[in-house]
Amino acid sequence: MTERDKILGRIREALTISAPPPGEHGPETHHLAGHPIQFAPRPAATNAREWLPKVGETFEDQVAQFRACSDDLKTEFIVAESLADLPKILGDLRDRERWKQAAAHRSDLTDAAVQALGLPTLTVDGGYDVRALERCDVGITTCDALVAQTGTLVVTSRSSGGRALSVLPPHHLVIARRDQLVADLPAAFELIQQRYGADYPSMISLVTGPSRTGDIERILVLGAHGPKKLTVVMI
Amino acid sequence: MTTEVQEFKTQATKVVGDLRHRKLIQTALGKYEVARDKRKGAFQSWSEARQVAAETKWDAINHLDEHLVSFADKLEARGTKVHWATTAAQARDIILGIIQAKNAKCIIKSKAMTAEEIHLNAAMEKAGFEVVESDLGEYIVQLRQEPPYHIVFPAMHLTRHDISDLFEKHLGSAKTDSPEELTMIARRALREKYITADVGITGANFAIAETGMVSITENEGNARLTSALPKTMISLLGIEKVLPRMADLALFLPMLATAGAGQPLTCYNTLYGGPRQPGESDGPEEYHVVLLDNRRTELLADPEQRDALHCIRCGACLNVCPIFKNVGGHTYGTTYSGPIGSVITPHLRGLQNWKHLSYSSSLCGACTEACPVKINLHHHLLQNRRNSVQKEADPQEKLIFKLFAWAMNSPGLYGAGKSVARWFGPLHRLVMGTFLDPAKAWTKTRDLPPIAETTFKEYWKNRQ
Ligand code: SF4
């Protein structure tokens, strides 16, 4: 018998006695032990939206909420009218942050950004030198979705240039399209499941603000190990 | 008395009188409470969300076999090796086996309470590997050669000055009292480690049965890096971490962040479903998932306390516990401290040696109220007390309660006792708190109210 079979065997043995329904208070629940419980749990997956913080209905409301969350999180959120605005916006960013070297993955949006920046750029597709990536000032990626409810962006190892590009350089720059904004977390998971079916990327990450820590006297410090700055440009 | 109780008592006495400690914990937890209440208020209904979360975890744990099979099969179908460990020793051997086979030298770790539970670092260091904790708090306590103080905030018992001195000693950095600079010192020291480490080890917050994914929640980005750069990645998780569906996370992630740290969402919530896949630009070549039982199935077999396995390790019950706040995290002497630690440690490490934890509670129920998955914590403490007495009662205690019951049941004896007590009351006052005091254990830190001049019965008689 393998260890797997042994553990599963013990679990099945233990579960022959059913437990009282969850959230019951009071010590009187143990009389239920030994009887099958007629209890149908409500899954969080289908109910989450009813209890989570409310999100506005219209696109404008949702942009406003994403902005409010971004302000709280110290994410820089810029809305661009069109792709034509990128050179100006990114040029300003580059000069303000004194970027010398960028890193990016290939895609329509990131290609446009790389062109707009006009910096030497490391392309990560197909593999790269980790030390070279570590020396880059900014990692440029796309994302799968922006979540208005929490100011979150969804990146994956397939759509955002692997695992390290969005977290190793000190500044993470995300270029998104306006139709990528979704209302809430349930919508974000729905989108992930629809987009990938059973063929998921090996990493899916919900990123909510720049890296942070409160480990020293619970005082907030940005840029613990991941990016110190996060900029989202929505076109 | 077992050594565990003695240790607990000595430590508790020391920490309770430590005003510096008290101030630190109060400031930290005060900030936490404000933030948590604000976030809870943003939910349309926090109480309903808790109920749904509890029901979802109930489903996960009461069909644990099916969920685990699905989780493991899905992971293996996409190239992950899943290992099963009944004991801590087996889990250590599995992990040591993997890193030895890889000829690894340096191991980078992100936060994993299960690794603390099985004393993984010590085992790896003994086998000659360099092990580096990458979570800032964990890194700090590792340098101090201490276990984490709190399951979510490992270094909350230290001031910036303590940490500055520590970094000066170990890293040769200049003294500073800026938390920001201290964080940057650690950031620089650890960057090199991510790049050179051969193996990355992580814990996990959830195991998604439906899709075969490990979900890791963190703020710093250290787990993201740990799972991006080294060639081999290992995740160690308890079998109870299961959630049935991916979309359950839509509720669990914000609840974990809210209850745990007063955040709307933790900075990075990441799902890992395998090693680097074709077409991806980086990621580990090998991914190992180690599922740990370590007596969790024994807890599962107790239907009364099975819900203790619903725990998502948010730390909320520690943060509100008057005992935790006063005696501190290290006093417990356990991997999991606070109310949840007091409930599960007797199951994981033996009832008789750890039953004292069930008594280090005021039974105020603050933990049960705080728990986002509605674990019946304070009732479980009572049940542990009951179980320990049923299994092995202290003969002295048994005798005292027998006598007490006898006296209470015989009015004559009760009356006599009362008169004697009234006589002894003033005498007792004279020696109260000194070594002559027979009730010293009580009166040392508490008041003993004087016995009333007249009893209610006498009073009533006189009135009529
Ligand atoms: S018992 Fe509940 S409150 Fe305590 S750590 Fe676990 S989930 Fe959080």
Side-chain angles (χ1 to χ4, degrees):
Chain A
M1 211 161 46
T2 63
E3 218 47 45
R4 169 180 161 134
D5 295 332
K6 282 190 212 158
I7 292 177
L8 288 173
R10 278 199 303 276
I11 292 173
R12 289 185 184 122
E13 170 78 33
L15 291 179
T16 52
I17 308 175
S18 48
E24 295 253 337
H25 284 239
E28 296 310 321
T29 49
H30 60 266
H31 66 272
L32 292 161
H35 302 286
I37 299 283
Q38 302 299 323
F39 174 68
R42 288 173 291 171
T46 43
N47 288 293
R49 190 167 282 137
E50 287 174 50
W51 322 120
L52 287 173
K54 262 211 166 350
V55 186
E57 302 253 316
T58 67
F59 178 74
E60 281 68 34
D61 288 347
Q62 293 176 4
V63 172
Q65 187 153 359
F66 191 87
R67 180 175 300 286
C69 293
S70 298
D71 290 348
D72 277 353
L73 293 162
K74 313 252 175 350
T75 302
E76 183 179 23
F77 177 48
I78 303 171
V79 179
E81 287 297 318
S82 72
L83 266 183
D85 289 350
L86 268 191
K88 168 85 176 83
I89 292 171
L90 296 188
D92 287 351
L93 266 174
R94 174 198 59 208
D95 297 343
R96 187 190 76 196
E97 300 290 334
R98 304 212 178 96
W99 289 336
K100 303 248 156 14
Q101 168 80 44
H105 65 96
R106 298 294 311 270
S107 77
D108 295 353
L109 287 177
T110 46
D111 286 354
V114 166
Q115 217 186 6
L117 273 177
L119 288 173
T121 303
L122 174 82
T123 310
V124 296
D125 303 63
Y128 56 89
D129 173 28
V130 178
R131 289 197 184 272
L133 179 61
E134 214 264 329
R135 281 192 298 270
C136 292
D137 302 308
V138 56
I140 308 167
T141 76
T142 55
C143 66
D144 283 60
L146 303 175
V147 187
Q149 188 170 46
T150 48
T152 299
L153 42 121
V154 180
V155 300
T156 73
S157 48
R158 205 175 300 161
S159 60
S160 309
R163 299 189 183 198
L165 178 61
S166 52
V167 78
L168 194 60
H171 199 134
H172 180 198
L173 171 64
V174 183
I175 316 289
R177 280 177 284 103
R178 57 175 270 153
D179 59 8
Q180 289 186 306
L181 183 70
V182 300
D184 53 13
L185 290 168
F189 282 108
E190 212 169 285
L191 181 136
I192 294 168
Q193 293 193 294
Q194 265 167 14
R195 173 161 306 161
Y196 296 109
D199 179 29
Y200 291 107
S202 72
M203 183 209 77
I204 302 169
S205 191
L206 276 62
V207 179
T208 311
S211 155
R212 62 198 55 219
T213 184
D215 273 347
I216 302 174
E217 293 186 25
R218 311 286 317 126
I219 293 166
L220 177 73
V221 177
L222 296 182
H225 293 289
K228 296 173 196 171
K229 292 184 181 167
L230 172 62
T231 304
V232 178
V233 179
M234 187 173 81
I235 295 162
Chain B
M1 251 196 289
T2 61
T3 46
E4 283 84 0
V5 195
Q6 266 157 358
E7 275 283 306
F8 185 91
K9 284 193 170 165
T10 333
Q11 267 300 321
T13 316
K14 207 166 91 196
V15 179
V16 166
D18 181 347
L19 294 182
R20 179 175 156 280
H21 173 268
R22 186 181 305 178
K23 192 161 163 278
L24 252 177
I25 302 304
Q26 275 176 355
T27 328
L29 291 179
K31 280 189 199 167
Y32 155 82
E33 272 172 32
V34 174
R36 179 205 56 193
D37 288 346
K38 185 169 157 218
R39 302 308 359 160
K40 267 164 72 171
F43 274 71
Q44 291 175 69
S45 169
W46 176 254
S47 63
E48 277 296 320
R50 286 175 74 212
Q51 181 62 29
V52 172
E55 292 181 16
T56 307
K57 263 314 242 187
W58 187 95
D59 174 20
I61 295 299
N62 284 279
H63 300 100
L64 187 57
D65 51 336
E66 297 156 33
H67 293 314
L68 276 178
V69 166
S70 166
F71 171 73
D73 289 352
K74 291 256 159 63
L75 268 173
E76 285 185 329
R78 280 149 45 87
T80 302
K81 179 90 187 69
V82 179
H83 309 259
W84 301 69
T86 292
T87 62
Q90 279 174 357
R92 286 193 300 266
D93 289 346
I94 290 167
I95 293 173
L96 281 176
I98 298 168
I99 58 182
Q100 269 153 358
K102 292 280 135 206
N103 271 323
K105 284 191 191 65
C106 178
I107 321 288
I108 188 115
K109 259 187 80 225
S110 70
K111 198 165 165 15
M113 288 311 292
T114 34
E116 298 290 330
E117 182 184 328
I118 67 168
H119 303 295
L120 182 61
N121 283 9
M124 291 194 293
E125 274 161 7
K126 204 170 143 222
F129 299 100
E130 184 195 355
V131 186
V132 185
E133 290 287 351
S134 59
D135 173 89
L136 177 59
E138 293 280 348
Y139 180 61
I140 292 167
V141 294
Q142 187 190 29
L143 289 180
R144 285 172 60 95
Q145 299 186 320
E146 252 177 15
Y149 178 90
H150 181 292
I151 58 176
V152 178
F153 316 130
M156 107 192 259
H157 59 307
L158 301 172
T159 63
R160 60 188 89 179
H161 307 292
D162 300 334
I163 297 165
S164 169
D165 291 347
L166 181 77
F167 284 178
E168 186 188 9
K169 182 169 151 213
H170 289 274
L171 306 173
S173 58
K175 266 200 192 341
T176 167
D177 57 7
S178 143
E180 184 152 4
E181 265 174 52
L182 289 168
T183 306
M184 292 311 134
I185 293 169
R187 179 183 168 108
R188 280 192 295 273
L190 284 166
R191 277 272 152 155
E192 189 57 26
K193 300 290 179 191
Y194 291 115
I195 296 174
T196 49
D198 314 284
V199 177
I201 300 183
T202 77
N205 296 82
F206 302 103
I208 309 300
E210 172 192 35
T211 55
M213 288 177 187
V214 169
S215 174
I216 301 178
T217 294
E218 46 136 3
N219 272 314
E220 298 182 1
N222 60 313
R224 283 280 310 268
L225 287 169
T226 301
S227 51
L229 303 180
K231 290 240 176 314
T232 305
M233 171 178 175
I234 306 174
S235 296
L236 171 67
L237 47 143
I239 53 173
E240 84 285 9
K241 287 280 172 254
V242 162
L243 271 187
R245 290 155 296 262
M246 187 204 252
D248 290 331
L249 291 173
L251 191 65
F252 276 84
L253 298 178
M255 288 188 79
L256 173 61
T258 298
Q263 287 178 281
L265 205 57
T266 318
C267 194
Y268 299 99
N269 287 289
T270 311
L271 288 156
Y272 295 97
R276 176 182 186 171
Q277 302 288 306
E280 294 181 349
S281 56
D282 57 8
E285 288 159 10
E286 271 182 37
Y287 185 29
H288 297 265
V289 168
V290 182
L291 285 166
L292 176 71
D293 177 353
N294 204 21
R295 300 179 78 173
R296 283 165 176 76
T297 44
E298 283 178 40
L299 184 50
L300 192 73
D302 178 355
E304 200 174 56
Q305 293 194 32
R306 187 176 294 161
D307 71 350
L309 291 169
H310 297 183
C311 176
I312 58 172
R313 304 273 186 268
C314 69
C317 57
L318 284 62
N319 299 345
V320 298
C321 177
I323 309 299
F324 180 89
K325 287 192 220 178
N326 277 295
V327 307
H330 285 147
T331 300
Y332 288 79
T334 58
T335 308
Y336 306 102
S337 60
I340 184 65
S342 301
V343 168
I344 62 175
T345 306
H347 290 271
L348 304 181
R349 289 167 77 172
L351 180 59
Q352 292 310 330
N353 284 344
W354 298 97
K355 64 179 178 198
H356 60 281
L357 295 181
S358 320
Y359 294 88
S360 60
S361 162
S362 63
L363 297 179
C364 64
C367 47
T368 309
E369 278 305 307
C371 178
V373 288
K374 291 182 99 167
I375 299 173
N376 214 341
L377 289 158
H378 68 295
H379 284 113
H380 293 336
L381 293 176
L382 277 174
Q383 288 153 357
N384 277 344
R385 293 184 190 184
R386 179 202 64 204
N387 295 348
S388 76
V389 173
Q390 271 172 1
K391 285 217 183 85
E392 191 184 313
D394 177 350
Q396 201 186 337
E397 225 174 73
K398 222 165 143 182
L399 183 71
I400 291 173
F401 276 103
K402 266 220 176 98
L403 288 174
F404 180 73
W406 183 45
M408 294 306 276
N409 279 321
S410 29
L413 208 60
Y414 179 75
K418 212 167 51 193
S419 319
V420 173
R422 223 175 271 148
W423 259 94
F424 271 103
L427 290 178
H428 185 216
R429 301 248 135 213
L430 297 176
V431 296
M432 186 124 74
T434 71
F435 69 99
L436 287 172
D437 182 357
K440 184 162 181 263
W442 177 272
T443 54
K444 200 168 49 174
T445 50
R446 304 173 185 84
D447 254 356
L448 195 65
I451 294 177
E453 291 292 320
T454 46
T455 65
F456 181 73
K457 230 166 117 188
E458 288 160 356
Y459 165 80
W460 193 247
K461 223 185 196 161
N462 291 343
R463 240 189 83 133
Q464 284 176 338

